Amino acid sequence: MIDPKRVESTFLDLVQLDSPSKFEAPVAQYCLHALQTIPGCTAWIDDTAPLSGSDTGNVRAFLPGSKPVTLYLTAHMDNVEPCRGVKPVIRDGVVYSDGTTVLGGDDKGGIAAIIEAVRGLSQSDEPRASVGVLLTVQEEVGLFGSKSLPDDFFHGETVLVCDGDSKPGIVDVGAPYHYTFKAEFRGVASHAGVAPEAGRSAIQMAAWAISQMKLGRLENGASANVGKVSGGSANNVIPASCIVTGECRSLDGDIARGTMESMEAILQEAAARFGGTVDSQWTLEYEGFRYADDDPAVLRILDAARSLGLTAGTEVSGGGTDANILSAKGARPLVLGAGMTDIHSTKESIALADIVDLARLLEACALSW
Ligand SMILES: [Zn+2]
């Protein structure tokens, strides 16, 4: 049974423990203790800290069940800044910060729901799946906690990633492939008034490239952006260097790659057109995934949500979470709405009822899996 009072006290404890990315140890110790004191549950901290660079490994736990299948529940322990000294304020059942920090409901709402679901399941005699818990470090700054897991960590298990900003009952069935780039145009510096003929403007190369790129939402559903431009030194110097950074995303891996290739071709053409060179580097930040709306795991979660009276539905996300990394490590991750709103801002809030609903949903999933 899920206990709403216990959910509230776990959540309020968690948000008052500082956990900026890389410094998740206090939250990890709290979660370790909370999970270790649940009857039948084993919990430990994994040995990935040297790989991720955090002051703790990821928190792991396992609650054995009677069915021969394991359902994983995950959330992340780190918060974006400003997140030190959070003072939670409750108004009408909704928790806010005092306005000077984020709340950290992203993703401590997910953690509180997971801990409570494991507690509830440990008290039940009903047949259920085994439950694996994974609480990661450094999700916000590059998904490093999940990246530090071994490549063969999962073998097709479903992973419920409790980190969505929609309401509990909504399931993200897709997330994009995401490429980023950094390109440095190199021209030739020269005095802009005395010898402009001898110069090659790197800024002009960058400007032409950007003007030729299709940016924003593209016709094929992909998105592309130039996020930062920097270059030049003085008004009377033809700029020899200009650095441009940006990204593109698509749910379809081929479309994402195609968008990347056409942006790269424009970078090269711009440099050649103005007599310079460009040195560009592309990084696949994470791989995407996409489930059919009638995927059995999706249907099972939606059924569980409906059985609890929640509004059930599917969405496709435009951003990346640990789910993208876990997918590449052999899991079948689905991101569940956790009820958080205005994330990454000092207005962030979460309704206690939503955390309770998510805990009930996780419990119902483990029972029906
Ligand atoms: Zn998050």
Side-chain angles (χ1 to χ4, degrees):
M1 276 290 283
I2 299 304
D3 178 344
K5 271 284 149 210
R6 217 162 44 185
V7 172
E8 176 176 338
S9 94
T10 304
F11 180 68
L12 294 178
D13 285 348
L14 283 168
V15 296
Q16 290 175 84
L17 293 169
D18 291 349
S19 61
S21 303
K22 286 183 96 163
F23 302 97
E24 300 90 349
V27 166
Q29 287 301 319
Y30 179 94
C31 295
L32 178 67
H33 181 257
L35 290 160
Q36 275 175 339
T37 51
I38 296 172
C41 182
T42 14
W44 66 100
I45 290 181
D46 72 16
D47 57 3
T48 58
L51 285 169
S52 70
S54 274
D55 61 358
T56 175
N58 302 306
V59 173
R60 305 267 312 278
F62 187 74
L63 180 72
S66 48
K67 297 184 189 171
V69 59
T70 300
L71 179 65
Y72 275 86
L73 311 179
T74 85
H76 64 87
M77 296 188 285
D78 60 320
N79 295 141
V80 296
E81 299 274 14
C83 62
R84 294 166 212 247
V86 173
K87 292 182 196 66
V89 179
I90 306 178
R91 285 195 298 272
D92 300 327
V94 179
V95 191
Y96 303 82
S97 73
D98 66 358
T100 62
T101 63
V102 298
L103 173 64
D106 171 14
D107 189 17
K108 288 166 177 170
I111 298 176
I114 289 172
I115 291 173
E116 182 60 23
V118 176
R119 276 194 190 118
L121 288 163
S122 77
Q123 294 164 346
S124 154
D125 297 328
E126 288 178 65
R128 60 159 195 260
S130 294
V131 173
V133 174
L134 169 66
L135 306 177
T136 60
V137 300
Q138 292 191 69
E139 191 268 356
E140 299 285 9
V141 290
L143 314 172
F144 292 119
S146 51
K147 280 178 182 169
S148 65
L149 296 170
D151 286 342
D152 60 351
F153 189 81
F154 292 102
H155 301 92
E157 297 93 339
T158 297
V159 178
L160 305 183
V161 180
C162 302
D163 192 21
D165 59 0
S166 45
K167 285 278 186 187
I170 305 298
V171 185
D172 273 4
V173 292
Y177 290 76
H178 182 195
Y179 288 95
T180 58
F181 75 90
K182 178 178 181 185
E184 179 171 8
F185 287 99
R186 295 208 186 90
V188 178
S190 181
H191 194 288
V194 177
E197 300 79 5
R200 300 278 181 272
S201 170
I203 289 181
Q204 197 167 22
M205 297 169 203
W208 187 87
I210 295 165
S211 74
Q212 297 300 304
M213 285 177 182
K214 292 198 181 87
L215 301 176
R217 177 74 59 199
L218 311 187
E219 277 165 15
N220 58 14
S223 64
N225 187 48
V226 169
K228 222 159 94 179
V229 178
S230 57
S233 57
N235 287 342
N236 60 357
V237 180
I238 292 181
S241 164
C242 183
I243 295 173
V244 179
T245 69
E247 62 156 53
C248 65
R249 304 178 192 220
S250 172
L251 288 166
D252 182 310
D254 292 336
I255 291 179
R257 222 172 358 265
T259 308
M260 171 191 85
E261 284 164 5
S262 66
M263 292 172 86
E264 171 64 17
I266 290 169
L267 295 171
Q268 296 296 339
E269 190 185 340
R273 179 174 280 254
F274 295 94
T277 58
V278 62
D279 180 12
S280 60
Q281 279 172 345
W282 286 84
T283 306
L284 174 61
E285 295 291 336
Y286 44 76
E287 293 184 30
F289 58 88
R290 179 79 166 95
Y291 298 94
D293 279 352
D294 61 353
D295 182 277
V298 174
L299 294 180
R300 210 171 284 166
I301 300 166
L302 296 179
D303 281 347
R306 281 189 208 101
S307 75
L308 297 168
L310 303 175
T311 304
T314 60
E315 266 181 10
V316 167
S317 131
T321 65
D322 277 336
N324 295 73
I325 302 304
L326 301 180
S327 170
K329 294 191 185 279
R332 300 192 80 236
L334 289 151
V335 181
L336 301 191
M340 49 183 96
T341 61
D342 296 310
I343 57 165
H344 298 192
S345 87
T346 54
K347 291 186 300 189
E348 185 192 353
S349 68
I350 190 167
L352 290 166
D354 283 340
I355 308 177
V356 172
D357 280 344
L358 179 58
R360 289 196 174 114
L361 179 57
L362 298 177
E363 184 185 49
C365 285
L367 291 172
S368 71
W369 218 257

